[in-house]
Amino acid sequence: ELHSQILEAISRPPVTRTRLVFEKKKPIPLKLLTPKIVEVLDYGKKRGSTREEREKERLKHKYKKEFKGALREIRKDSRFLAREKLNEVMNRDAERKRKVKELLGSLATQEGEWKALKRKKRK
């Protein structure tokens, strides 16, 4: 029975199936920026600015210049203070080192004298 079923399945024409295909996705549209159109009324170069506008520009320029100078001075001062602090720390360290060396030297001489005294007492 199984044999006959197999033979029957083999003798049948093959079933054609359609291939599996991914669904096509729509492309994401780019965001387009629409330009803001402004009507220009005066063509060409500016004929000249008013006195107040010139004064504003001059003051703005002066302010920027002063601000940059102030920043430069602050940086210079902070560098100077850092250098002074470092010098102070280095001097303190050198002083401490000198004192320690002095103490160790005096201890060494005391120990030498003590050993000399011990030797004399033995003899």
PDB file of all heavy atoms in Angstrom, residues 1 14 17 19 28-29 35-36 43 52 60 64 89 91 97-98 113-114 117 119 122:
ATOM      1  N   GLU A   1       0.836  -1.201   0.000  1.00  0.00           N
ATOM      2  CA  GLU A   1       0.000   0.000   0.000  1.00  0.00           C
ATOM      3  C   GLU A   1       0.878   1.260   0.000  1.00  0.00           C
ATOM      4  O   GLU A   1       0.630   2.178  -0.763  1.00  0.00           O
ATOM      5  CB  GLU A   1      -0.896  -0.014   1.230  1.00  0.00           C
ATOM      6  CG  GLU A   1      -1.959   1.059   1.208  1.00  0.00           C
ATOM      7  CD  GLU A   1      -2.832   0.995   2.435  1.00  0.00           C
ATOM      8  OE1 GLU A   1      -3.224  -0.110   2.863  1.00  0.00           O
ATOM      9  OE2 GLU A   1      -3.090   2.068   2.984  1.00  0.00           O
ATOM     10  N   PRO A  14       4.752  17.542 -11.328  1.00  0.00           N
ATOM     11  CA  PRO A  14       5.220  18.373 -10.197  1.00  0.00           C
ATOM     12  C   PRO A  14       4.387  19.658 -10.054  1.00  0.00           C
ATOM     13  O   PRO A  14       3.955  20.239 -11.037  1.00  0.00           O
ATOM     14  CB  PRO A  14       6.663  18.710 -10.572  1.00  0.00           C
ATOM     15  CG  PRO A  14       6.741  18.519 -12.044  1.00  0.00           C
ATOM     16  CD  PRO A  14       5.716  17.497 -12.411  1.00  0.00           C
ATOM     17  N   ARG A  17       5.141  26.134  -7.822  1.00  0.00           N
ATOM     18  CA  ARG A  17       4.779  27.148  -6.815  1.00  0.00           C
ATOM     19  C   ARG A  17       5.513  28.441  -7.148  1.00  0.00           C
ATOM     20  O   ARG A  17       6.619  28.427  -7.678  1.00  0.00           O
ATOM     21  CB  ARG A  17       5.175  26.664  -5.419  1.00  0.00           C
ATOM     22  CG  ARG A  17       4.353  25.474  -4.987  1.00  0.00           C
ATOM     23  CD  ARG A  17       4.455  25.306  -3.471  1.00  0.00           C
ATOM     24  NE  ARG A  17       3.476  24.362  -3.003  1.00  0.00           N
ATOM     25  CZ  ARG A  17       3.734  23.094  -2.737  1.00  0.00           C
ATOM     26  NH1 ARG A  17       4.951  22.627  -2.912  1.00  0.00           N
ATOM     27  NH2 ARG A  17       2.785  22.303  -2.300  1.00  0.00           N
ATOM     28  N   ARG A  19       7.665  31.773  -6.370  1.00  0.00           N
ATOM     29  CA  ARG A  19       8.746  32.048  -5.434  1.00  0.00           C
ATOM     30  C   ARG A  19       8.311  33.088  -4.403  1.00  0.00           C
ATOM     31  O   ARG A  19       7.520  33.972  -4.707  1.00  0.00           O
ATOM     32  CB  ARG A  19       9.980  32.593  -6.182  1.00  0.00           C
ATOM     33  CG  ARG A  19      10.626  31.554  -7.031  1.00  0.00           C
ATOM     34  CD  ARG A  19      11.867  32.103  -7.631  1.00  0.00           C
ATOM     35  NE  ARG A  19      12.551  31.063  -8.371  1.00  0.00           N
ATOM     36  CZ  ARG A  19      13.803  31.130  -8.746  1.00  0.00           C
ATOM     37  NH1 ARG A  19      14.520  32.216  -8.464  1.00  0.00           N
ATOM     38  NH2 ARG A  19      14.357  30.151  -9.407  1.00  0.00           N
ATOM     39  N   ILE A  28      11.634  56.260   1.842  1.00  0.00           N
ATOM     40  CA  ILE A  28      11.281  57.355   2.748  1.00  0.00           C
ATOM     41  C   ILE A  28      11.588  58.664   2.029  1.00  0.00           C
ATOM     42  O   ILE A  28      12.726  58.890   1.593  1.00  0.00           O
ATOM     43  CB  ILE A  28      12.083  57.259   4.060  1.00  0.00           C
ATOM     44  CG1 ILE A  28      11.768  55.919   4.740  1.00  0.00           C
ATOM     45  CG2 ILE A  28      11.766  58.407   4.981  1.00  0.00           C
ATOM     46  CD1 ILE A  28      12.700  55.591   5.876  1.00  0.00           C
ATOM     47  N   PRO A  29      10.597  59.534   1.901  1.00  0.00           N
ATOM     48  CA  PRO A  29      10.863  60.779   1.166  1.00  0.00           C
ATOM     49  C   PRO A  29      11.763  61.715   1.967  1.00  0.00           C
ATOM     50  O   PRO A  29      11.711  61.750   3.193  1.00  0.00           O
ATOM     51  CB  PRO A  29       9.466  61.384   0.981  1.00  0.00           C
ATOM     52  CG  PRO A  29       8.651  60.805   2.085  1.00  0.00           C
ATOM     53  CD  PRO A  29       9.220  59.450   2.361  1.00  0.00           C
ATOM     54  N   PRO A  35      12.322  77.423   0.534  1.00  0.00           N
ATOM     55  CA  PRO A  35      12.954  78.684   0.896  1.00  0.00           C
ATOM     56  C   PRO A  35      11.917  79.773   1.164  1.00  0.00           C
ATOM     57  O   PRO A  35      10.843  79.798   0.560  1.00  0.00           O
ATOM     58  CB  PRO A  35      13.795  79.026  -0.334  1.00  0.00           C
ATOM     59  CG  PRO A  35      13.123  78.332  -1.456  1.00  0.00           C
ATOM     60  CD  PRO A  35      12.496  77.108  -0.878  1.00  0.00           C
ATOM     61  N   LYS A  36      12.288  80.617   2.092  1.00  0.00           N
ATOM     62  CA  LYS A  36      11.415  81.737   2.418  1.00  0.00           C
ATOM     63  C   LYS A  36      11.770  82.874   1.464  1.00  0.00           C
ATOM     64  O   LYS A  36      12.900  83.379   1.473  1.00  0.00           O
ATOM     65  CB  LYS A  36      11.643  82.164   3.868  1.00  0.00           C
ATOM     66  CG  LYS A  36      10.697  83.220   4.343  1.00  0.00           C
ATOM     67  CD  LYS A  36      10.985  83.539   5.798  1.00  0.00           C
ATOM     68  CE  LYS A  36      10.084  84.656   6.273  1.00  0.00           C
ATOM     69  NZ  LYS A  36      10.395  85.034   7.648  1.00  0.00           N
ATOM     70  N   TYR A  43      17.850  97.731  -4.243  1.00  0.00           N
ATOM     71  CA  TYR A  43      18.886  96.973  -4.926  1.00  0.00           C
ATOM     72  C   TYR A  43      20.230  97.675  -4.783  1.00  0.00           C
ATOM     73  O   TYR A  43      20.292  98.878  -4.566  1.00  0.00           O
ATOM     74  CB  TYR A  43      18.535  96.816  -6.411  1.00  0.00           C
ATOM     75  CG  TYR A  43      17.267  96.041  -6.629  1.00  0.00           C
ATOM     76  CD1 TYR A  43      16.064  96.687  -6.885  1.00  0.00           C
ATOM     77  CD2 TYR A  43      17.275  94.663  -6.556  1.00  0.00           C
ATOM     78  CE1 TYR A  43      14.905  95.978  -7.081  1.00  0.00           C
ATOM     79  CE2 TYR A  43      16.115  93.938  -6.745  1.00  0.00           C
ATOM     80  CZ  TYR A  43      14.924  94.600  -7.014  1.00  0.00           C
ATOM     81  OH  TYR A  43      13.787  93.895  -7.202  1.00  0.00           O
ATOM     82  N   GLU A  52      23.937 106.704  14.216  1.00  0.00           N
ATOM     83  CA  GLU A  52      23.734 105.803  15.366  1.00  0.00           C
ATOM     84  C   GLU A  52      24.217 104.386  15.052  1.00  0.00           C
ATOM     85  O   GLU A  52      24.813 103.714  15.903  1.00  0.00           O
ATOM     86  CB  GLU A  52      22.248 105.758  15.741  1.00  0.00           C
ATOM     87  CG  GLU A  52      21.731 107.041  16.367  1.00  0.00           C
ATOM     88  CD  GLU A  52      20.460 107.525  15.682  1.00  0.00           C
ATOM     89  OE1 GLU A  52      19.858 106.749  14.928  1.00  0.00           O
ATOM     90  OE2 GLU A  52      20.094 108.676  15.913  1.00  0.00           O
ATOM     91  N   LYS A  60      30.522  98.093  19.484  1.00  0.00           N
ATOM     92  CA  LYS A  60      30.558  96.632  19.493  1.00  0.00           C
ATOM     93  C   LYS A  60      31.995  96.146  19.255  1.00  0.00           C
ATOM     94  O   LYS A  60      32.485  95.249  19.934  1.00  0.00           O
ATOM     95  CB  LYS A  60      29.637  96.080  18.401  1.00  0.00           C
ATOM     96  CG  LYS A  60      29.341  94.596  18.558  1.00  0.00           C
ATOM     97  CD  LYS A  60      28.556  94.040  17.396  1.00  0.00           C
ATOM     98  CE  LYS A  60      27.142  94.563  17.362  1.00  0.00           C
ATOM     99  NZ  LYS A  60      26.347  93.959  16.272  1.00  0.00           N
ATOM    100  N   LYS A  64      34.346  94.021  21.909  1.00  0.00           N
ATOM    101  CA  LYS A  64      34.988  92.745  21.597  1.00  0.00           C
ATOM    102  C   LYS A  64      36.485  92.806  21.868  1.00  0.00           C
ATOM    103  O   LYS A  64      37.080  91.889  22.423  1.00  0.00           O
ATOM    104  CB  LYS A  64      34.743  92.364  20.140  1.00  0.00           C
ATOM    105  CG  LYS A  64      33.365  91.819  19.877  1.00  0.00           C
ATOM    106  CD  LYS A  64      33.248  91.386  18.437  1.00  0.00           C
ATOM    107  CE  LYS A  64      31.879  90.833  18.137  1.00  0.00           C
ATOM    108  NZ  LYS A  64      31.733  90.463  16.723  1.00  0.00           N
ATOM    109  N   VAL A  89      55.823  75.710  46.569  1.00  0.00           N
ATOM    110  CA  VAL A  89      55.808  74.286  46.946  1.00  0.00           C
ATOM    111  C   VAL A  89      57.202  73.692  46.791  1.00  0.00           C
ATOM    112  O   VAL A  89      57.681  72.951  47.665  1.00  0.00           O
ATOM    113  CB  VAL A  89      54.780  73.517  46.082  1.00  0.00           C
ATOM    114  CG1 VAL A  89      54.938  72.020  46.249  1.00  0.00           C
ATOM    115  CG2 VAL A  89      53.368  73.939  46.462  1.00  0.00           C
ATOM    116  N   ASN A  91      60.085  75.247  46.923  1.00  0.00           N
ATOM    117  CA  ASN A  91      60.952  75.797  47.975  1.00  0.00           C
ATOM    118  C   ASN A  91      60.703  75.093  49.315  1.00  0.00           C
ATOM    119  O   ASN A  91      61.650  74.766  50.037  1.00  0.00           O
ATOM    120  CB  ASN A  91      60.745  77.304  48.119  1.00  0.00           C
ATOM    121  CG  ASN A  91      61.353  78.065  46.962  1.00  0.00           C
ATOM    122  OD1 ASN A  91      62.228  77.559  46.257  1.00  0.00           O
ATOM    123  ND2 ASN A  91      60.883  79.282  46.741  1.00  0.00           N
ATOM    124  N   LYS A  97      63.637  68.898  52.725  1.00  0.00           N
ATOM    125  CA  LYS A  97      64.670  67.933  52.357  1.00  0.00           C
ATOM    126  C   LYS A  97      65.999  68.291  53.034  1.00  0.00           C
ATOM    127  O   LYS A  97      66.703  67.424  53.554  1.00  0.00           O
ATOM    128  CB  LYS A  97      64.847  67.948  50.839  1.00  0.00           C
ATOM    129  CG  LYS A  97      65.266  66.642  50.239  1.00  0.00           C
ATOM    130  CD  LYS A  97      65.371  66.796  48.740  1.00  0.00           C
ATOM    131  CE  LYS A  97      64.673  65.660  48.040  1.00  0.00           C
ATOM    132  NZ  LYS A  97      64.810  65.738  46.594  1.00  0.00           N
ATOM    133  N   ARG A  98      66.318  69.594  53.015  1.00  0.00           N
ATOM    134  CA  ARG A  98      67.565  70.057  53.631  1.00  0.00           C
ATOM    135  C   ARG A  98      67.558  69.764  55.130  1.00  0.00           C
ATOM    136  O   ARG A  98      68.547  69.266  55.691  1.00  0.00           O
ATOM    137  CB  ARG A  98      67.748  71.555  53.369  1.00  0.00           C
ATOM    138  CG  ARG A  98      69.103  72.098  53.822  1.00  0.00           C
ATOM    139  CD  ARG A  98      69.172  73.602  53.675  1.00  0.00           C
ATOM    140  NE  ARG A  98      68.161  74.300  54.451  1.00  0.00           N
ATOM    141  CZ  ARG A  98      68.201  74.512  55.769  1.00  0.00           C
ATOM    142  NH1 ARG A  98      69.190  74.029  56.487  1.00  0.00           N
ATOM    143  NH2 ARG A  98      67.240  75.168  56.371  1.00  0.00           N
ATOM    144  N   GLU A 113      79.663  58.897  67.625  1.00  0.00           N
ATOM    145  CA  GLU A 113      80.226  59.249  68.934  1.00  0.00           C
ATOM    146  C   GLU A 113      79.832  58.218  69.989  1.00  0.00           C
ATOM    147  O   GLU A 113      80.632  57.830  70.848  1.00  0.00           O
ATOM    148  CB  GLU A 113      79.762  60.644  69.349  1.00  0.00           C
ATOM    149  CG  GLU A 113      80.374  61.758  68.530  1.00  0.00           C
ATOM    150  CD  GLU A 113      79.738  63.114  68.824  1.00  0.00           C
ATOM    151  OE1 GLU A 113      78.797  63.178  69.644  1.00  0.00           O
ATOM    152  OE2 GLU A 113      80.193  64.099  68.225  1.00  0.00           O
ATOM    153  N   TRP A 114      78.578  57.765  69.935  1.00  0.00           N
ATOM    154  CA  TRP A 114      78.085  56.786  70.901  1.00  0.00           C
ATOM    155  C   TRP A 114      78.863  55.483  70.790  1.00  0.00           C
ATOM    156  O   TRP A 114      79.271  54.899  71.794  1.00  0.00           O
ATOM    157  CB  TRP A 114      76.592  56.559  70.651  1.00  0.00           C
ATOM    158  CG  TRP A 114      75.969  55.496  71.498  1.00  0.00           C
ATOM    159  CD1 TRP A 114      75.600  54.264  71.130  1.00  0.00           C
ATOM    160  CD2 TRP A 114      75.698  55.579  72.898  1.00  0.00           C
ATOM    161  NE1 TRP A 114      75.085  53.558  72.168  1.00  0.00           N
ATOM    162  CE2 TRP A 114      75.133  54.369  73.307  1.00  0.00           C
ATOM    163  CE3 TRP A 114      75.876  56.577  73.869  1.00  0.00           C
ATOM    164  CZ2 TRP A 114      74.748  54.105  74.597  1.00  0.00           C
ATOM    165  CZ3 TRP A 114      75.479  56.297  75.157  1.00  0.00           C
ATOM    166  CH2 TRP A 114      74.930  55.084  75.512  1.00  0.00           C
ATOM    167  N   LEU A 117      82.270  55.941  72.231  1.00  0.00           N
ATOM    168  CA  LEU A 117      82.225  55.893  73.709  1.00  0.00           C
ATOM    169  C   LEU A 117      82.121  54.435  74.200  1.00  0.00           C
ATOM    170  O   LEU A 117      82.745  54.050  75.177  1.00  0.00           O
ATOM    171  CB  LEU A 117      81.056  56.706  74.239  1.00  0.00           C
ATOM    172  CG  LEU A 117      81.247  58.210  74.311  1.00  0.00           C
ATOM    173  CD1 LEU A 117      79.938  58.883  74.684  1.00  0.00           C
ATOM    174  CD2 LEU A 117      82.307  58.551  75.360  1.00  0.00           C
ATOM    175  N   ARG A 119      83.205  51.783  72.721  1.00  0.00           N
ATOM    176  CA  ARG A 119      84.486  51.094  72.534  1.00  0.00           C
ATOM    177  C   ARG A 119      85.479  51.469  73.652  1.00  0.00           C
ATOM    178  O   ARG A 119      86.222  50.638  74.137  1.00  0.00           O
ATOM    179  CB  ARG A 119      85.087  51.469  71.178  1.00  0.00           C
ATOM    180  CG  ARG A 119      84.532  50.609  70.066  1.00  0.00           C
ATOM    181  CD  ARG A 119      85.301  50.849  68.775  1.00  0.00           C
ATOM    182  NE  ARG A 119      84.316  51.036  67.730  1.00  0.00           N
ATOM    183  CZ  ARG A 119      84.312  52.004  66.835  1.00  0.00           C
ATOM    184  NH1 ARG A 119      85.256  52.882  66.814  1.00  0.00           N
ATOM    185  NH2 ARG A 119      83.366  52.082  65.953  1.00  0.00           N
ATOM    186  N   ARG A 122      84.775  49.591  76.852  1.00  0.00           N
ATOM    187  CA  ARG A 122      85.185  48.200  76.808  1.00  0.00           C
ATOM    188  C   ARG A 122      86.667  48.038  77.088  1.00  0.00           C
ATOM    189  O   ARG A 122      87.078  47.101  77.751  1.00  0.00           O
ATOM    190  CB  ARG A 122      84.896  47.590  75.432  1.00  0.00           C
ATOM    191  CG  ARG A 122      83.442  47.254  75.213  1.00  0.00           C
ATOM    192  CD  ARG A 122      83.277  46.536  73.908  1.00  0.00           C
ATOM    193  NE  ARG A 122      81.874  46.409  73.565  1.00  0.00           N
ATOM    194  CZ  ARG A 122      81.406  46.023  72.395  1.00  0.00           C
ATOM    195  NH1 ARG A 122      82.256  45.721  71.435  1.00  0.00           N
ATOM    196  NH2 ARG A 122      80.139  45.921  72.187  1.00  0.00           N
TER     197      ARG A 122
END
